[in-house]
Every structure is written in C-alpha cells, then in structure tokens.
Amino acid sequence: MTLKKLLFSITTIVLFSISGFAQIDFEKDFFNLYPREQPGPDARAPQSQNTGNYDVVYCNLELSVHPAVYYIVGEAKTKFIPTKAPFNTMYFDFTNQILVTEVKYKGNSLSFTQLVGDELLVEFNEDLPVGELHEIEVKYEGQPASSGFGSFAISSQCGAEEIPAMWTLSEPYGAKHWWPCKQTLNDKYDSIDVVITTPEKFRAASNGVLLDEKLNNDGTKTYHWSHRYPVPAYLVAFAVSEYEVYSDWVPLENGDSLEILNYIYPCNVDYAKARTPNTIPIMQFFRERFGEYPYVQEKYGHCNFGWGGGMEHSTMSFMGGFSYGLIAHELAHQWFGDKITCGSWQDIWLNEGFATYLEGLCYDFGAAPTSWENWKSYNQARATNDPTGSVYVDDTTSVNRIFNGNLSYAKGAYLLHMLRYKMGDETFFNAIYDYINDPDLAYDYALTPDLQKHLEEESGMDLDEFFKDWLYGGGYPIYEVIWEQTTDKTWLTLNQSSSNPQSVDFFDMPVPVYFAGINQDTTIQLNPSHSGQLFELDIPFVVTAVSFDPEKWICGKSQVLTSVSDVWGDELKVFPNPAGDFIKFESFSDAPISVRILDVLGRTVLHQKIQTHQGEYITIETIELQAGMYTLQLDDSTVSKSAQLIIE
C-alpha cells in the first residue's frame, strides 16, 4: 500500500499501531513533495479581508496525531467578540484540503462552506450581538496542506526512520493549513490551550506550560499545554516525537528561577546538553538590556525538530541545532517578533533584523571580540550582496522575498547598527528599551513608524531621510576617499555612488574615517551632504595611512584609499573631482598662472590669472558652471599642465 492510499484510508487517528507503517519511507515520500529547507509551493499572501469583523479572544485546540502519519484530527473551540453589525456570517482562514466535519454554536450545528481561497465560511441562524463574547466549535480531519518552511511536516530523528517526528512551522502563512484560525497580522489570540493526543511512547510539545499529561485506556497519552499570553496564529505550534527532557534554570532577582525546558531527540542529547546552558547568560543579557523576559510567568524552552534552522514559537523555540548564534537569535525573538510582532510582512525586519542584531550584540558585549568582528564582516558582506534590494519587503506574495537573508536579516540588522552609530550607544539602547516596553505595543503589533517614533523622541533627530534611504530605498553606497596633506591642512574628498541610483542617489549617513601617523592616530566623523564633498581637516601629525569606517559601522562598500598625488601623478593635482561649487589645485610655479576651464568644444568658459607660490593650494569657484565634462588648463611663462574635470 502506498503512503497516499494509506493516509486517505484513515478516518480516525485511533489507528495508532506503528507496525502497520513499518515498510513506508515517510521522510522520502513526504519531502519529495515538500522540500525541507526551502519554502513550499504555497507562497501567496492570503491575508483575508473577511475576518475583520470580529476580535479573536481564545482557542482551545484539541488534536489527535501520530508522528508517522501525515494526518490530523482536530477540534477548535474559538471564543470571539463581533465588532461590526450585522454579524451573521463568520470567516476563518482554513485550507479546503482538510475536511470540516461539523461546526457548532451553542450546541447547534451551523451551515458552513469551505471556499477555494482557503477560507471557512460559517453562517449563523441569527444576528450575533456586537461586543459580546461568543464561542464556536469547528471539527475537522484530513491531510494538511503545507507551505512556507513546512507548516505541517513529518520526518524522522537523525535519519533513524524507525523514530518518526511531526512538527509545525506556520510562519508566514501556514497556520491555516492545520487549524482554523485568524492569521492576519492585526489580531492576537489573548490565550490558547493546545491539547494533543498521541501514542503513549511519544511526547508532545507546545506553547506555554504543561498543565497535565494523562495516560488513556487506548494506549494513547494526552498532553495539555496552556499559554496565557497574547499570541498570533503563526506562532502557535506543536511537535510530537520521542524526546528526552531536561531543564536549565535562569536565576531571577526575587530568588526564584525561570525554567528553560528542553525537549531533545535522544540522538542529540549530549550535543544539546553541552550547548543549551549558553541560554542562561544570553537570557540575562537580554533581560538587562531590554527588560524582563516577556513570558516570565511561564517558561522558555527548546524543542528539537526536523528543520535546519530555528523558529521562535513563543515560550518554546523549535531548534534544528544548538549553536551559540542560533540560541541567541531565537531567544531574541521572544522580545522582537513575539512580544512585539511586525504588523505587516513588509516590516519583517522588525522581527528578523532585530534578532540578527541581538545575536551580534551577544558577541559585542559578552563573547569573544573576534566573534563580533566576524559577525560584522559576515553581515556587512551579506547586506551588500544584493545591489538593488530594500529592507522593506516589496513582494509579500513570495516567502523567499520576505525571508531574504541578505535583506530582511543582514541588512535589517545593519540598519540598526547604523542607527546605533548615528545616535550613540546610550540614546540608541534607551530608545529600543522604550520601544519594546511601550504599553501600546507590548504583546501587540508594530510597524516601522512605531519604532521610528521612539528613536526620534529619544534622540531629537529627524530620521525621515535615513529611513527613506536605508529602509525603503534599494541598494547601498559605494565610497571613495581621496586625501592630501599639506604643511598645515589635510584635505579629503568623499565621493559616494549608489549601487541602485534609480532608487537612492545619495545615502544619508555620517561616516568615520581613520587617520594614522607615527605613534599617533585619530578617527574623525564626517557628515557629508553630497558626493564629492571636500573636507578641510586639522590633523596635528603627519598622516601615513587612512582607512574608511575601520570598525564597520556602515552598510556599504569603499574603494581603495589613495592620496591626490597617487590619483593625478605629477601632471596636475586637482580636487574635488567630480567638483561642485569649487576646485582646489596645487600651484607648480612662483610665477603668475593663467587658469582656463574649457568645455567639450574647446571654448573657454572661465579664465583667471593668479599670482601664486609653488606648493600653495589655490581655490577657484565653479558654481556658475553647468554640469558636464571640462578641461582644466594651467599655464605660466614656461610650463603648461592640464587635467580632465567633471562638474556635477
């Protein structure tokens, strides 16, 4: 019997005998259809507009599953409050691939229709009063659809086919594929209970705390998990397999401890036990910087699952591994993504950019400094790997685009890193603390303007141009520094081009430049307003080397730094080039010099005669010249020199 025929023949999960499935390669059959590491076939954005007439309050979700069988039997009891009258129909986000067997309200069956667009339409026999609490019960069973990164999946432990594993990962659009819910990013369930029945040899993990585990007479066991914090539909999850269970503990100031509950595949126990204790100092660091762990009344935990990365389900992250960075990333999400959730998938950087940056901050403030340097180099390279893309997601129908590692993760993290430099540590961290603890946003949704508001209030800065360039704009800047030191001044021209000039022609950002001498050095912050800007600097030592952004604060690339003499040789030293309002050049004569600027047709458009001294720097205003290509020609009684000149 093939897997497909076998599963369709099951109408109840009471058929739990594992021996009946011993000859089936579940992992092979399943993942031939649904890849493990890449988003699945359903990548559209099913943000239903039909669920906007009620506020979802609570769901008691009762599930029966076998981790070796791609099938689910469920019953969802949802409490809700109608918000718009008349209210006589109700929609859930729910796949039509699973069969709804019954819908009840106050014990009476209701008419319902499973629509092609993954919606369940329920018709009431009366108008329900607005503003009052009601409960509806939906029973269903069947083979779930799968989307994204495996919204519903079965696999096996560590390649051991005889030990099956089942898990869910609903971000971004997959919750509807295994339970009837409201999955738009504008309403959270105030609380949930997840009750899972499975053969007694397996354990079931979910959100919140385990209230009860009960052995049934039919050889099954029921696990009752309760989560009493607001949660979006996509963060509700469960996993079923054989697990070894142990706990780490985080000491709290009141003398109590917070449990870190670990559900680990037996084949990974030694590996995990050596690494999950890293969660303790990371948790303490995040608590100090961003406030109390958001679910301190329940727990935090890790649950092994069959995917290569991790997923930040509230109170229990599902983990494919236990590296330091992955532990930090998923724990960071409990604040940034779970406590405050992005209110649109266009703003996913509020989840992923923050989690990626907090992962880096663990290196900056706790782990080895070399790890911090490596983090910056790696993420700067990733962020500049896409020459056109923006942090802001321009296509939410594509799961790959939403979770683009270069843009939503690395560039989003670097956007925060640049804000930290622009604002300074104290101001930046105060603003982030105020944001994550804003009572109007906590356990709710936020958009980028909500974060920007706190950043501006704390810093006093207007950040409109910054976010226009770095969040909504595409690409990144490419810098070129040209410098020259005279006897009393150091001159620096800072050119900036854009990898995507159609989107952003000039990126607003202060930039640090480092100057080194013999036993002396200094870093100067420049605040350019345009490309080709010339800076006159007072540096009281002979400069032997210059480097751009040595501490990697900027999400950009830089050209090799050269001195003016290296650029133009002995022929003629002129800068800035391209020029704007003026140019400077070094005199080569003690005699009067004739200065001419010629256009592309050879016509003289500017002529001056200047008395100079050799080695002196002369300034000529070019503000009256039109943008274009010119020739600068200098003559004294015996020598003539020329150079190409660009006016912007």
Side-chain angles (χ1 to χ4, degrees), residues 251-490:
L252 302 177
E253 287 77 5
N254 61 5
D256 201 354
S257 296
L258 172 68
E259 183 180 20
I260 303 172
L261 179 64
N262 302 290
Y263 273 40
I264 308 298
Y265 293 159
C267 56
N268 289 332
V269 167
D270 291 342
Y271 161 77
K273 282 187 174 181
R275 289 163 177 79
T276 58
N278 287 327
T279 313
I280 299 170
I282 297 172
M283 174 77 79
Q284 297 290 40
F285 171 58
F286 289 166
R287 292 176 65 234
E288 291 167 4
R289 282 284 174 181
F290 309 112
E292 187 56 86
Y293 169 64
Y295 309 101
V296 69
Q297 298 301 319
E298 295 186 354
K299 71 160 190 322
Y300 183 59
H302 303 112
C303 177
N304 231 170
F305 80 140
W307 191 63
M311 179 60 205
E312 64 275 10
H313 303 123
S314 54
T315 73
M316 182 169 268
S317 293
F318 284 17
M319 308 288 284
F322 295 94
S323 68
Y324 183 94
L326 185 61
I327 288 174
H329 185 101
E330 302 309 331
L331 178 55
H333 272 309
Q334 302 297 308
W335 284 262
F336 299 93
D338 294 5
K339 180 182 180 180
I340 295 182
T341 306
C342 63
S344 165
W345 295 115
Q346 292 181 301
D347 276 318
I348 187 62
W349 82 280
L350 293 174
N351 295 15
E352 299 301 346
F354 264 102
T356 304
Y357 194 51
L358 265 62
E359 174 189 337
L361 290 179
C362 289
Y363 297 122
D364 188 14
F365 289 95
T370 53
S371 297
W372 175 230
E373 293 304 313
N374 292 341
W375 184 94
K376 289 187 290 185
S377 296
Y378 175 70
N379 283 280
Q380 187 185 65
R382 291 183 72 195
T384 56
N385 193 47
D386 188 326
T388 60
S390 64
V391 176
Y392 193 70
V393 177
D394 53 5
D395 181 11
T396 59
T397 67
S398 168
V399 175
N400 275 328
R401 175 60 186 91
I402 295 172
F403 297 99
N404 184 300
N406 294 332
L407 300 174
S408 300
Y409 291 69
K411 193 175 180 184
Y414 241 86
L415 190 154
L416 293 167
H417 190 53
M418 289 188 292
L419 283 166
R420 178 182 168 192
Y421 176 71
K422 187 178 178 73
M423 298 169 63
D425 269 22
E426 182 177 0
T427 302
F428 172 77
F429 284 113
N430 285 344
I432 299 304
Y433 182 92
D434 291 345
Y435 163 74
I436 200 63
N437 293 286
D438 185 335
D440 293 330
L441 302 176
Y443 304 101
D444 208 336
Y445 297 97
L447 299 172
T448 294
D450 297 308
L451 172 64
Q452 183 178 340
K453 170 178 173 288
H454 283 285
L455 295 168
E456 291 182 334
E457 286 179 350
E458 185 67 29
S459 67
M461 296 177 177
D462 182 344
L463 296 174
D464 282 348
E465 185 63 31
F466 178 89
F467 279 98
K468 177 184 175 184
D469 295 342
W470 293 102
L471 175 75
Y472 303 106
Y476 53 83
I478 303 165
Y479 295 94
E480 180 185 59
V481 176
I482 304 170
W483 64 278
E484 177 75 357
Q485 189 172 46
T486 63
T487 55
D488 58 345
K489 294 290 183 183
T490 299

Side-chain angles (χ1 to χ4, degrees), residues 35-76:
R36 294 180 64 177
E37 303 301 333
Q38 296 298 321
D42 180 10
R44 63 191 184 278
Q47 294 280 39
S48 170
Q49 302 301 311
N50 294 323
T51 59
N53 62 345
Y54 66 92
D55 175 27
V56 69
V57 176
Y58 166 79
C59 184
N60 184 83
L61 188 58
E62 298 186 9
L63 308 172
S64 294
V65 293
H66 189 304
V69 182
Y70 194 76
Y71 201 87
I72 190 170
V73 174
E75 180 180 311

Side-chain angles (χ1 to χ4, degrees), residues 487-546:
T487 55
D488 58 345
K489 294 290 183 183
T490 299
W491 304 93
L492 184 147
T493 300
L494 184 61
N495 296 322
Q496 185 198 116
S497 59
S498 172
S499 68
N500 185 3
Q502 292 76 25
S503 179
V504 182
D505 58 357
F506 186 84
F507 287 85
D508 172 51
M509 185 63 194
V511 296
V513 179
Y514 172 78
F515 298 86
I518 299 175
N519 299 321
Q520 298 183 76
D521 60 13
T522 186
T523 298
I524 297 177
Q525 178 179 296
L526 306 178
N527 294 282
S529 59
H530 59 275
S531 179
Q533 191 166 349
L534 179 67
F535 295 89
E536 179 181 317
L537 309 174
D538 290 314
I539 299 179
F541 56 84
V542 176
V543 176
T544 58
V546 176

